[in-house]
Amino acid sequence: MMKKTVLTGLRPTGNLHLGHYFGAGKNYLKLQEEENPFYLEIADVQALTDHFEDPEMVRKNVLEMTKDLLAIGLDPNKVCFFIQSKIPEIAELTVFYSNLVTVSRLERNPTVKTEIAQKKELFGNQGESITYGFLGYPVSQAADITAFDGEIVPVGDDQLPLLEQCREIVRKFNSIYKETLKEPQPILTKTTRIKGLDGSDKMGKSLGNAIYLVDDASTIQKKVMGAITDPQKIKKDDPANPDICMVYYYHKLVNTEENIQKVCTECKAGTRGCVNCKKELIAAMNEFLKPIQERRKYYDEHPDIVMKILEDGSKEARKKATEQMKKVKQAMQIDYEKN
Ligand code: TRP
């Protein structure tokens, strides 16, 4: 059986937090153990569609994000890490695909629509503030995927409209030119979203409730001590409902089965105070982050190894994209070298 290619991308705009780890990282770790080719794109060009005025930030985070991904245990021998801007074929494909999608279709894309609404809220109601590049990033994302014949795309549910957009472009291309491109399928992680310690529905950088993989013990302590618990529990020995407590929610993510049971039983019985429970969570979280931070330290001390992983991966990825480009140009009858 032919192996299906896995492709995914991340915008290098900040460090990874626990939401990324449980939402996406665990899925990547599982996928790298399967035999499929796996491309992981550090989407610097896409990050610039949003942050073109802040190139230093994007530049810095290409390295930061790669280190975080290596720290969670992704193996460069199993995963091809590459930088989007190192693959000019992606930009080329984006131009070709831009004929296959209408402006109004992009404006109706639910993910883009939400992002535009957020921007308007932030910067006032000027339609002019939306750039051509930003509106077109789903087209460029379709190029990211198809440049490598990506068939399996592990993403969070917020990315589904972008996948659908890609599938539409693929169908249009295949019907106008020649059957050349494959339609990608998303695979969703079981927990696509984890709640914040503050009780909000999502952990996120912009929400200010993120626990980063690089957070040190004192930062973890501060964040966990502020977590929301059952508001009905006033005194230390009041029985409480762990199901509405964020401390218990996080115990379930990072603690052992046995300890989780203990937390639950004692909380319900009123034999566990919240302060103590938080202290145990801090210890469990530090324990959970320890191997990640140890690996991360190694890469911090060896930035040249990280750069080499990105360089080698980008070379390998470029080979694949070049092959794909030949097929695309042939289908579009712009393969002049042939004559
Ligand atoms: N849009 C994705 C995000 O914001 C990142 C991304 C870029 C991506 N290219 C991709 C995801 C290709 C999947 C496939 O997280």
Side-chain angles (χ1 to χ4, degrees):
M1 212 177 76
M2 278 282 283
K3 301 236 163 13
K4 290 187 174 174
T5 298
V6 179
L7 181 132
T8 195
L10 292 155
R11 294 183 185 197
T13 54
N15 280 105
L16 294 187
H17 51 63
L18 286 179
H20 294 119
Y21 179 82
F22 290 104
K26 272 180 93 171
N27 220 2
Y28 301 168
L29 289 170
K30 204 171 97 218
L31 283 164
Q32 79 167 348
E33 297 312 327
E34 294 168 13
E35 303 272 285
N36 311 18
F38 186 165
Y39 293 92
L40 208 167
E41 176 186 88
I42 309 296
D44 60 341
V45 178
Q46 191 178 110
L48 286 165
T49 62
D50 234 1
H51 299 280
F52 57 91
E53 288 165 311
D54 205 356
E56 293 87 8
M57 184 279 285
V58 174
R59 175 62 188 254
K60 170 174 158 264
N61 282 311
V62 168
L63 233 92
E64 282 298 301
M65 180 152 278
T66 309
K67 285 185 201 166
D68 279 346
L69 290 164
L70 292 165
I72 67 169
L74 288 176
D75 177 350
N77 295 312
K78 296 177 180 162
V79 177
C80 177
F81 285 83
F82 71 95
I83 305 179
Q84 184 182 3
S85 60
K86 291 278 236 176
I87 318 293
E89 286 76 14
I90 294 176
E92 227 178 322
L93 280 176
T94 305
V95 174
F96 299 157
Y97 294 168
S98 62
N99 297 323
L100 307 179
V101 54
T102 63
V103 172
S104 69
R105 174 65 181 89
L106 288 169
E107 283 168 345
R108 269 187 285 116
N109 181 305
T111 308
V112 177
K113 219 167 138 179
T114 313
E115 286 166 336
I116 290 180
Q118 283 165 352
K119 279 182 199 294
K120 285 191 175 156
E121 214 169 277
L122 279 175
F123 306 117
N125 201 19
Q126 319 134 311
E128 284 92 301
S129 67
I130 305 304
T131 64
Y132 165 64
F134 180 78
L135 185 65
Y137 93 76
V139 183
S140 146
Q141 187 155 323
D144 292 343
I145 299 169
T146 53
F148 307 94
D149 247 347
E151 285 189 86
I152 302 176
V153 186
V155 282
D157 55 2
D158 63 316
Q159 295 291 305
L160 291 180
L162 294 169
L163 253 286
E164 196 41 48
Q165 187 90 68
C166 175
R167 291 156 58 83
E168 274 176 44
I169 291 172
V170 166
R171 287 197 289 269
K172 191 118 191 215
F173 186 100
N174 288 344
S175 74
I176 295 177
Y177 305 115
K178 183 173 103 191
E179 195 71 27
T180 310
L181 307 172
K182 292 183 184 145
E183 272 187 51
Q185 301 289 342
I187 51 165
L188 296 173
T189 356
K190 213 164 62 199
T191 25
T192 42
R193 207 162 271 190
I194 70 163
K195 294 186 183 152
L197 275 169
D198 56 356
S200 53
D201 265 350
K202 194 182 163 192
M203 174 180 282
K205 182 170 81 166
S206 52
L207 298 165
N209 62 0
I211 294 181
Y212 294 97
L213 301 179
V214 292
D215 279 349
D216 60 16
S218 74
T219 311
I220 297 284
Q221 166 149 358
K222 246 183 264 143
K223 290 181 179 174
V224 172
M225 283 325 244
I228 300 291
T229 54
D230 179 352
Q232 303 289 343
K233 182 170 165 109
I234 313 285
K235 290 193 284 358
K236 200 172 108 203
D237 46 7
D238 283 344
N241 177 6
D243 292 331
I244 56 169
C245 172
M246 295 322 295
V247 179
Y248 180 59
Y249 179 88
Y250 274 80
H251 271 296
K252 283 193 290 187
L253 290 172
V254 300
N255 217 330
T256 60
E257 217 27 75
E258 195 188 339
N259 286 339
I260 297 167
Q261 267 311 321
K262 188 165 165 257
V263 173
C264 181
T265 323
E266 292 179 0
C267 174
K268 283 181 178 161
T271 55
R272 160 175 289 264
C274 292
V275 172
N276 218 15
C277 191
K278 285 178 177 174
K279 283 190 181 147
E280 283 181 25
L281 176 60
I282 292 165
M285 203 172 275
N286 286 331
E287 199 55 36
F288 172 83
L289 290 174
K290 205 164 120 194
I292 297 176
Q293 294 185 348
E294 270 167 11
R295 272 192 296 262
R296 164 85 205 198
K297 185 162 172 278
Y298 171 80
Y299 290 110
D300 274 336
E301 286 162 1
H302 299 88
D304 46 326
I305 294 182
V306 183
M307 268 328 287
K308 178 92 168 64
I309 289 170
L310 286 168
E311 256 166 50
D312 290 351
S314 298
K315 268 192 208 134
E316 188 188 326
R318 181 125 199 242
K319 253 192 236 150
K320 177 78 187 169
T322 313
E323 278 169 36
Q324 184 74 338
M325 206 61 207
K326 275 197 195 125
K327 292 186 208 155
V328 165
K329 286 192 169 174
Q330 199 183 37
M332 295 177 71
Q333 303 183 31
I334 50 175
D335 53 337
Y336 300 107
E337 301 78 9
K338 211 179 61 188
N339 304 317

